[in-house]
Amino acid sequence: MQPLMICFDDIDGWAQPLSGVLLPLAPPDIQSRLQIASPDYIEDARDIFLRFTVTDSVIDAMLVWLRSATIAGYHGTRLAVSDVDSIKSNGLIPLKATSRRERISRALSRHPKWAEVAHRLDDAISEVGPGGAVGNREGQVHLTLSHAGLTSGFNHYLTHGAEFDWHVASELLGEEGKELLSTDGTPYVIQVAVPGTAALAAAHPFFSVDDMRARGELPNILKEFLAVWCFRLSRPGYQSRNLKLDCGMMFKSQVPPQWLRGIEPWSGR
C-alpha cells in the first residue's frame, strides 16, 4: 500500500484524514467552539484547539500521521535543457559554489561590459561562497512546502534562479547583472515526494523535533498543517493554498531522483 501523499496546498485531499487523527482527541463540539470564536488568523485557531486538548497527545498523533505519509516539497529554479536531464538522472545536488560558474558566465556574457569584469568572476564566487554573503547555502538543497508560496509568494527563484547566482551577478554588474539572470534558462518547478520522516528532519536543520518539544514549541511542518486544519474547522471553505506559505526543508545531501514527481516549466501563472 502506497503511503498517503500530502500536498499542503490541497487541503481538500488531507483535511479529512487528519480529522480522523485529531478529532478523537478533542471535545465533540470543538468545531462549534471554533466557529463561534471565529478567529481572524490561522495561529489563533490552532491556539483555541490546543486549549481544549492535550498538546503532547496532539503532537504525538500528528507525528505518526506525518511520518507514515510522503510530503510534497517544491524547488524553483531556472534550467537549461541539459540541467533538466541531469536532475532526472541524478536528483537535486547540494549547492557547490564553483559549479555555478558556467551558468553565471553564460548569463552575464551578454552584457556589453562583460569583458571588463569577467576576470573577477572567480573572486566574486569565492567572496559570495563559503563564509561569504550566501555561503551558508553551500552543500544544501532547499525545498518549500507550498507550490502557491513558491510561484506567487516568493517567485524570485523562478524569475532569476539560484540566490547564489544573484549575489555574484550583482557583485560584478549590479542590478543589470541580476536582470540578465532572468533571461537565462527556463523557469521550472520541481515537485518532490519526501518521506515524512525525512521531511520532518529537513525542516529542523538546527533544532530537532525533540528539541522543539523540550522548548515548549510545536515542531515545524506539524504546526503549519495543524494551524490550517484548525482554521478550516472554523471556516469550512478555507483553502490552504491561499496562505502562500513559506516553510522550508533543508537537505545536506542529494535529494534522490526516486523522490522526483515532476519537473514542469513555469508559465508565470
Side-chain angles (χ1 to χ4, degrees):
M1 183 177 176
Q2 291 291 324
L4 173 69
M5 174 71 165
I6 304 173
C7 299
F8 180 84
D9 289 350
D10 180 24
I11 193 170
D12 293 334
W14 57 262
Q16 186 172 350
L18 186 54
S19 292
V21 170
L22 294 182
L23 287 180
L25 305 177
D29 63 345
I30 188 62
Q31 183 165 12
S32 296
R33 297 188 189 197
L34 280 164
Q35 290 178 348
I36 290 170
S38 187
D40 292 326
Y41 302 103
I42 63 169
E43 295 84 0
D44 294 339
R46 182 180 62 207
D47 290 345
I48 293 169
F49 179 81
L50 292 175
R51 195 180 306 152
F52 294 103
T53 55
V54 178
T55 298
D56 280 338
S57 297
V58 171
I59 294 174
D60 288 341
M62 283 199 70
L63 287 175
V64 170
W65 181 70
L66 289 168
R67 286 169 174 157
S68 68
T70 57
I71 298 173
Y74 298 91
H75 180 81
T77 190
R78 298 185 71 88
L79 302 172
V81 173
S82 60
D83 298 325
V84 176
D85 294 337
S86 176
I87 289 171
K88 288 179 179 178
S89 298
N90 303 309
L92 294 170
I93 305 299
L95 175 72
K96 185 177 180 181
T98 54
S99 71
R100 306 307 302 165
R101 192 181 197 283
E102 180 180 354
R103 192 254 170 164
I104 296 168
S105 59
R106 183 179 64 226
L108 300 191
S109 64
R110 293 189 287 273
H111 194 281
K113 294 184 178 180
W114 173 242
E116 300 175 24
V117 300
H119 68 282
R120 294 174 45 213
L121 176 58
D122 290 334
D123 287 343
I125 287 173
S126 296
E127 290 171 12
V128 175
V134 288
N136 59 345
R137 293 276 179 127
E138 180 85 1
Q140 300 171 12
V141 177
H142 289 257
L143 304 179
T144 192
L145 201 60
S146 169
H147 183 280
L150 176 63
T151 57
S152 300
F154 44 96
N155 64 14
H156 40 269
Y157 300 102
L158 293 163
T159 57
H160 291 80
E163 183 179 354
F164 181 90
D165 298 357
W166 321 338
H167 284 272
V168 174
S170 296
E171 179 72 19
L172 293 171
L173 292 167
E175 282 299 310
E176 292 179 356
K178 183 177 176 181
E179 286 309 306
L180 280 172
L181 296 175
S182 68
T183 67
D184 181 75
T186 300
Y188 282 85
V189 174
I190 302 168
Q191 185 189 49
V192 182
V194 186
T197 298
L200 284 164
H204 296 87
F206 307 111
F207 298 98
S208 70
V209 168
D210 289 341
D211 290 336
M212 298 287 282
R213 297 186 72 171
R215 293 163 53 165
E217 299 179 29
L218 296 171
N220 298 327
I221 293 184
L222 182 154
K223 66 181 179 184
E224 285 78 19
F225 274 99
L226 179 60
V228 296
W229 177 81
C230 293
F231 199 63
R232 168 92 160 202
L233 287 183
S234 69
R235 302 187 185 189
Y238 175 71
Q239 293 296 320
S240 51
R241 61 179 175 269
N242 295 339
L243 187 60
K244 300 177 182 177
L245 179 73
D246 183 3
C247 175
M249 291 176 268
M250 186 183 86
F251 299 84
K252 296 181 181 179
S253 59
Q254 170 203 35
V255 172
Q258 295 84 354
W259 292 4
L260 300 183
R261 289 296 178 269
I263 306 176
E264 302 295 334
W266 180 63
S267 64
R269 296 187 298 274

